[in-house]
Every structure is written in structure tokens, then in C-alpha cells.
Amino acid sequence: VQLQASGGGLVQAGGSLRLSCTASGLSFPFSSYEMTWFRQTPGKEREFVARISRGGGSTWYADSVKGRFTISRDNARNLVYLQMNSLEPEDTAVYYCAAGRVYGIYAYWGQGTQVTVSS
């Protein structure tokens, strides 16, 4: 199983980035998995950012990103996206996509993509 995250980079505060995560080698069709984005900064625990349901009809967000970030998915292409607008320096982190959540434990993780927001 491989989750490949991409799209990170350096952006000024107020700017936008779109992260992508593609999945391959899953045991079941991509549409069978909720998909989640997390982020982590050095010295801190990994933080939930956003999650999307299997069909894409339901989404959940951390309070810190609500109204600024949008998670979406394309099941035909095995892709999940995180559109990040109005970025703040506090959004600087490595962003990870994850799948296969069972009782709160994720079986599959991507390698992470660095997002740096300059003030």
C-alpha cells in the first residue's frame, strides 16, 4: 500500500496551496476508505486536519482550519485533495494523508509533504 502526498511548498501568509494524495495497492477499492489529512510540526503530536467520507458527501475539519481548508476526493482517480486558502504561519507543518481507520487507528500513512507559510 502506498499513499503519496504532494503539493507542499513555500507560500506567503494569505496564500493558497492544494495538496494531493494518491493511493495505490489498497486491499479494497479507494472508495471504501475514509481519507484523512493530518499535520505535524517538530516537537508536537500529529494533529487532525480534515477527513472525508467514502463517497465524499461528509467532511470534518479541525476548528483551526474550518472555513479556510476544503477536503475533497476523486474516487475514479484514487485521489484526495486538501485545498488550503488564507494560509497562516501557524499552518506550517508536514502534512500527511492517512487511510484505513479502525477504532481510531490508521493502517496506512503517506510520507508527508512540507508546507511552509512565511509571515
Side-chain angles (χ1 to χ4, degrees), residues 3-8 17-23 30 35 37 70 72 77-84 95-97 110-113 115:
L3 300 180
Q4 184 77 31
S6 61
L17 282 174
R18 188 177 80 156
L19 306 183
S20 300
C21 174
T22 185
F30 180 73
M35 297 298 297
W37 286 98
T70 303
S72 62
R77 299 175 62 196
N78 286 16
L79 280 165
V80 61
Y81 303 102
L82 186 68
Q83 178 67 43
M84 306 185 296
Y95 284 71
Y96 299 87
C97 54
Q111 87 289 0
T113 185
V115 171

Side-chain angles (χ1 to χ4, degrees), residues 35-65:
M35 297 298 297
T36 305
W37 286 98
F38 288 85
R39 66 187 182 187
Q40 188 170 24
T41 55
K44 292 188 177 181
E45 290 191 359
R46 200 166 290 185
E47 173 190 23
F48 166 79
V49 176
R51 184 164 64 247
I52 189 165
S53 62
R54 296 169 181 81
S58 297
T59 55
W60 300 266
Y61 296 94
D63 287 343
S64 58
V65 307

